[in-house]
């Protein structure tokens, strides 16, 4: 009932030529968009070129945005501008943004509201560090991130939100959570959303992220709570991205 999503997060990778090469390589090989939503989240200067060439089955996303309409925020990009460019999705609160650019639960909440107001589909990231996992506080930490991110949002808004559970210790490390562990935490996130916002929680897509590879995607997607994946490293090569989006073939 929840349409799966496979989203690539290119981070600060690829030149324009490399990005276009990727787009041309995947353009006519994407799966049916009714069966699966596919997204590539690219660096801001590449977005326009990608949007113009994305084809019908691949959507383009940004990796961050500012929470204000406009203003004196040197270097930042507004949601409105992303929307105008034809971008459909935006990652909010990625752990790298939280760690290196001081994004907080409060700013995540503001960005989330701004994305929804503008008509972008937000992919909101949460996830615990290794210390938190080892101290047995994963559920408490992640559900608190969810409470704060979703503050003041009503049930209607919730349906448009995508959540990505990305344990920080699994990002870019090759150490993925097991499918069962990821399913358990995502189940806890959904139960928490249900307690906060009601049955709409059953409609919210919750993705797993952290060292997802073509070899692990099937196992993850077989889990009942996992609705897709946010993929960094393995989304950079067109061949590997195609394997990921065709996991069910
Ligand atoms: P990774 O990155 O797949 O390279 O671990 C995932 C992410 O940061 O979104």
């Amino acid at each position: 009932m929840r349409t799966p999503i496979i989203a690539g997060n290119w981070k600060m990778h690829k030149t324009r030529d490399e990005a276009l090469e990727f787009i041309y390589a995947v353009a006519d090989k994407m799966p049916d968009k009714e069966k699966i939503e596919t997204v590539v989240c690219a660096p801001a200067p590449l977005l326009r070129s990608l949007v113009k060439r994305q084809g019908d089955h691949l959507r383009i996303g940004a990796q961050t945005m500012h929470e204000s309409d406009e203003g004196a925020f040197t270097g930042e990009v507004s949601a409105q501008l992303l929307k105008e460019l034809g971008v459909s999705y935006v990652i909010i609160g990625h752990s790298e943004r939280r760690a290196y650019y001081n994004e907080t639960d409060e700013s995540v909440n503001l960005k989330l509201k701004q994305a929804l107001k503008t008509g972008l589909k937000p992919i909101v990231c949460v996830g615990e560090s290794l210390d938190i996992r080892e101290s047995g506080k994963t559920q408490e930490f992640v559900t608190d991130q969810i409470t704060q991110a979703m503050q003041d949002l009503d049930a209607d808004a919730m349906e448009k939100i995508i959540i990505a559970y990305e344990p920080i210790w699994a990002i870019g490390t090759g150490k993925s959570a097991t499918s069962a562990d990821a399913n358990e935490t995502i189940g806890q996130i959904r139960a928490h959303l249900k307690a906060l916002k009601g049955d709409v929680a059953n409609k919210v897509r919750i993705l797993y992220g952290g060292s997802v590879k073509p070899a692990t995607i099937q196992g993850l997607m077989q889990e009942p709570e996992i609705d897709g994946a946010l993929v960094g490293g393995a989304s950079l090569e067109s061949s590997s991205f195609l394997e990921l989006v065709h996991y069910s073939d």
Side-chain angles (χ1 to χ4, degrees):
M1 141 192 136
R2 298 186 292 263
T3 307
I5 304 179
I6 304 289
N9 173 12
W10 282 355
K11 310 192 179 182
M12 200 175 75
H13 292 288
K14 289 200 191 290
T15 62
R16 184 168 179 277
D17 283 352
E18 288 164 351
L20 295 185
E21 196 181 311
F22 178 101
I23 281 291
Y24 291 133
V26 304
D28 57 357
K29 300 192 181 71
M30 298 304 291
D32 181 354
K33 65 178 178 200
E34 309 302 327
K35 252 176 56 189
I36 172 168
E37 269 172 61
T38 53
V39 188
V40 163
C41 299
L46 295 176
L47 293 171
R48 183 66 189 146
S49 300
L50 295 177
V51 162
K52 281 204 287 193
R53 297 170 177 86
Q54 72 198 76
D56 201 30
H57 296 274
L58 178 64
R59 301 269 85 89
I60 304 301
Q63 299 174 4
T64 185
M65 49 161 266
H66 198 270
E67 58 268 32
S68 304
D69 290 339
E70 60 178 358
F73 302 108
T74 302
E76 289 289 337
V77 177
S78 72
Q80 182 59 39
L81 190 52
L82 294 174
K83 184 74 185 163
E84 263 180 45
L85 289 175
V87 167
S88 332
Y89 295 76
V90 60
I91 299 174
I92 293 178
H94 189 283
S95 59
E96 287 152 16
R97 303 281 324 166
R98 293 178 189 252
Y100 308 141
Y101 305 100
N102 303 322
E103 290 196 7
T104 59
D105 288 325
E106 195 188 359
S107 68
V108 167
N109 175 249
L110 294 175
K111 284 171 198 268
L112 181 49
K113 289 179 194 158
Q114 183 73 356
L116 291 168
K117 183 178 107 180
T118 315
L120 292 170
K121 290 187 188 172
I123 303 175
V124 183
C125 300
V126 296
E128 81 286 3
S129 65
L130 191 56
D131 278 358
I132 293 169
R133 166 139 298 228
E134 285 176 346
S135 65
K137 298 216 162 75
T138 297
Q139 179 176 2
E140 194 181 310
F141 181 81
V142 171
T143 53
D144 182 57
Q145 282 185 315
I146 293 284
T147 304
Q148 297 199 52
M150 305 300 155
Q151 246 175 45
D152 312 321
L153 293 176
D154 59 23
D156 278 356
M158 291 306 304
E159 264 190 66
K160 302 184 187 102
I161 297 171
I162 299 153
I163 294 170
Y165 166 58
E166 298 204 306
I168 296 169
W169 49 270
I171 295 178
T173 57
K175 273 191 244 156
S176 177
T178 64
S179 303
D181 277 349
N183 189 64
E184 186 185 1
T185 306
I186 290 177
Q188 289 163 349
I189 292 173
R190 197 180 306 284
H192 184 68
L193 271 182
K194 210 167 193 168
L196 290 177
K197 311 283 179 186
D199 284 343
V200 71
N202 294 327
K203 296 189 183 159
V204 177
R205 270 90 55 87
I206 311 182
L207 320 181
Y208 168 75
S211 296
V212 175
K213 304 279 180 260
T216 57
I217 187 77
Q218 262 184 4
L220 289 162
M221 295 306 288
Q222 272 161 13
E223 298 288 343
E225 295 290 353
I226 303 179
D227 302 317
L230 181 58
V231 188
S235 73
L236 289 171
E237 292 294 332
S238 55
S239 54
S240 154
F241 184 71
L242 284 169
E243 281 185 65
L244 290 165
V245 298
H246 285 285
Y247 69 87
S248 67
D249 292 0

